Coordinates of all heavy atoms in Angstrom, one line a residue:
S5 N -11.7 12.8 -11.8 CA -12.0 11.7 -10.9 C -11.2 10.5 -11.3 O -10.9 9.7 -10.4 CB -13.5 11.4 -11.0 OG -13.9 11.0 -12.3
Q6 N -10.9 10.3 -12.5 CA -10.1 9.1 -12.9 C -8.7 9.2 -12.4 O -8.1 8.3 -11.9 CB -10.1 9.0 -14.5 CG -9.4 7.7 -14.9 CD -9.5 7.5 -16.4 OE1 -9.9 8.5 -17.2 NE2 -9.2 6.4 -16.9
E7 N -8.1 10.4 -12.4 CA -6.8 10.7 -11.9 C -6.8 10.5 -10.4 O -5.9 9.8 -9.8 CB -6.3 12.1 -12.2 CG -6.0 12.3 -13.7 CD -5.8 13.8 -14.0 OE1 -6.3 14.6 -13.4 OE2 -5.0 14.0 -15.0
A8 N -7.8 11.0 -9.7 CA -7.9 10.8 -8.3 C -8.0 9.3 -7.9 O -7.4 8.8 -6.9 CB -9.1 11.6 -7.7
S9 N -8.8 8.6 -8.7 CA -9.0 7.2 -8.4 C -7.7 6.4 -8.6 O -7.4 5.5 -7.8 CB -10.0 6.6 -9.4 OG -10.3 5.2 -9.2
K10 N -6.9 6.8 -9.6 CA -5.6 6.1 -9.8 C -4.6 6.4 -8.6 O -3.9 5.6 -8.2 CB -5.0 6.6 -11.1 CG -5.6 5.9 -12.3 CD -4.9 6.4 -13.6 CE -5.6 5.8 -14.8 NZ -5.0 6.2 -16.1
L11 N -4.7 7.7 -8.2 CA -3.8 8.1 -7.0 C -4.2 7.3 -5.8 O -3.3 6.8 -5.0 CB -3.9 9.6 -6.8 CG -3.1 10.4 -7.7 CD1 -3.4 11.9 -7.5 CD2 -1.6 10.2 -7.6
I12 N -5.5 7.2 -5.5 CA -6.0 6.4 -4.4 C -5.6 5.0 -4.5 O -5.1 4.4 -3.5 CB -7.5 6.6 -4.2 CG1 -7.8 8.0 -3.8 CG2 -8.0 5.6 -3.2 CD1 -9.3 8.4 -3.8
A13 N -5.7 4.4 -5.6 CA -5.3 3.0 -5.8 C -3.8 2.8 -5.6 O -3.4 1.8 -5.0 CB -5.7 2.5 -7.2
S14 N -3.1 3.7 -6.0 CA -1.6 3.7 -5.8 C -1.3 3.8 -4.3 O -0.4 3.1 -3.8 CB -0.9 4.8 -6.6 OG 0.4 4.8 -6.4
A15 N -2.0 4.7 -3.6 CA -1.7 4.9 -2.2 C -2.1 3.6 -1.4 O -1.4 3.2 -0.5 CB -2.5 6.1 -1.7
I16 N -3.2 3.0 -1.8 CA -3.6 1.7 -1.2 C -2.6 0.6 -1.4 O -2.3 -0.1 -0.5 CB -5.0 1.3 -1.7 CG1 -6.1 2.3 -1.2 CG2 -5.4 -0.1 -1.3 CD1 -6.3 2.4 0.3
E17 N -2.1 0.5 -2.6 CA -1.0 -0.5 -2.9 C 0.2 -0.2 -2.1 O 0.8 -1.2 -1.5 CB -0.7 -0.5 -4.4 CG -1.8 -1.2 -5.2 CD -2.1 -2.6 -4.8 OE1 -1.2 -3.4 -4.5 OE2 -3.3 -2.9 -4.7
T18 N 0.6 1.0 -1.9 CA 1.8 1.4 -1.1 C 1.5 1.0 0.3 O 2.4 0.4 1.0 CB 2.1 2.9 -1.2 OG1 2.4 3.2 -2.6 CG2 3.3 3.3 -0.4
L19 N 0.3 1.3 0.8 CA 0.0 1.0 2.2 C 0.0 -0.5 2.4 O 0.4 -1.0 3.5 CB -1.4 1.5 2.6 CG -1.8 1.5 4.0 CD1 -0.8 2.1 5.0 CD2 -3.2 2.1 4.2
K20 N -0.5 -1.3 1.5 CA -0.4 -2.8 1.6 C 1.1 -3.2 1.7 O 1.4 -4.1 2.5 CB -1.0 -3.4 0.3 CG -2.5 -3.4 0.3 CD -3.0 -4.1 -1.0 CE -4.5 -3.9 -1.1 NZ -5.0 -4.5 -2.4
M21 N 2.0 -2.6 0.9 CA 3.4 -3.0 1.0 C 4.0 -2.7 2.3 O 4.7 -3.5 2.9 CB 4.2 -2.3 -0.2 CG 3.8 -2.9 -1.5 SD 4.9 -2.3 -2.9 CE 4.5 -0.5 -2.9
V22 N 3.6 -1.5 2.8 CA 4.1 -1.1 4.2 C 3.6 -2.1 5.2 O 4.4 -2.6 6.1 CB 3.7 0.3 4.5 CG1 4.0 0.7 5.9 CG2 4.4 1.3 3.6
R23 N 2.3 -2.4 5.2 CA 1.7 -3.3 6.2 C 2.4 -4.7 6.1 O 2.8 -5.3 7.1 CB 0.2 -3.5 5.9 CG -0.4 -4.5 6.8 CD -1.6 -5.2 6.2 NE -1.3 -5.8 4.9 CZ -2.2 -6.2 4.0 NH1 -3.5 -5.9 4.2 NH2 -1.9 -6.7 2.9
D24 N 2.6 -5.2 4.9 CA 3.3 -6.5 4.7 C 4.7 -6.5 5.2 O 5.1 -7.4 5.8 CB 3.2 -6.9 3.3 CG 1.8 -7.2 2.8 OD1 0.9 -7.3 3.6 OD2 1.6 -7.3 1.6
E25 N 5.4 -5.4 4.9 CA 6.8 -5.3 5.4 C 6.9 -5.3 6.9 O 7.7 -5.9 7.5 CB 7.5 -4.1 4.8 CG 8.9 -3.9 5.2 CD 9.9 -5.1 4.9 OE1 9.6 -5.8 3.8 OE2 10.8 -5.3 5.6
L26 N 6.0 -4.5 7.5 CA 6.0 -4.4 9.0 C 5.7 -5.8 9.5 O 6.3 -6.2 10.5 CB 5.0 -3.4 9.4 CG 5.3 -1.9 9.3 CD1 4.1 -1.0 9.6 CD2 6.5 -1.6 10.2
G27 N 4.7 -6.5 8.9 CA 4.3 -7.8 9.4 C 5.5 -8.8 9.3 O 5.8 -9.6 10.2
T28 N 6.2 -8.7 8.2 CA 7.4 -9.6 8.0 C 8.5 -9.3 9.1 O 9.0 -10.2 9.7 CB 8.0 -9.3 6.6 OG1 7.0 -9.7 5.6 CG2 9.3 -10.2 6.4
Q29 N 8.7 -8.0 9.3 CA 9.7 -7.6 10.3 C 9.3 -8.1 11.7 O 10.1 -8.6 12.5 CB 10.0 -6.1 10.3 CG 10.8 -5.7 9.1 CD 11.0 -4.2 9.1 OE1 11.0 -3.6 10.2 NE2 11.3 -3.6 8.0
L30 N 8.0 -7.9 12.0 CA 7.5 -8.3 13.4 C 7.6 -9.8 13.6 O 7.8 -10.3 14.7 CB 6.1 -7.7 13.6 CG 6.0 -6.2 13.7 CD1 4.5 -5.8 13.6 CD2 6.6 -5.8 15.1
C31 N 7.3 -10.6 12.5 CA 7.3 -12.0 12.6 C 8.6 -12.7 12.5 O 8.8 -13.9 12.7 CB 6.3 -12.6 11.6 SG 4.6 -12.2 11.9
S32 N 9.6 -11.9 12.1 CA 11.0 -12.5 11.9 C 11.6 -13.0 13.1 O 12.5 -13.8 13.1 CB 11.9 -11.5 11.2 OG 12.2 -10.4 12.0

């Protein structure tokens, strides 16, 4: 469960980066 939790946290951080990058590109 600890490994799964770390993977989920990593996926969430990656999704945040993608969202932010898309937002930056759309607002540019």
Side-chain angles (χ1 to χ4, degrees):
S5 61
Q6 187 175 12
E7 291 169 331
S9 181
K10 285 181 182 180
L11 284 173
I12 290 169
S14 176
I16 292 297
E17 287 304 314
T18 300
L19 188 56
K20 286 179 185 177
M21 289 188 297
V22 169
R23 179 208 52 198
D24 293 347
E25 179 60 29
L26 286 169
T28 299
Q29 288 182 22
L30 289 167
C31 291
S32 67

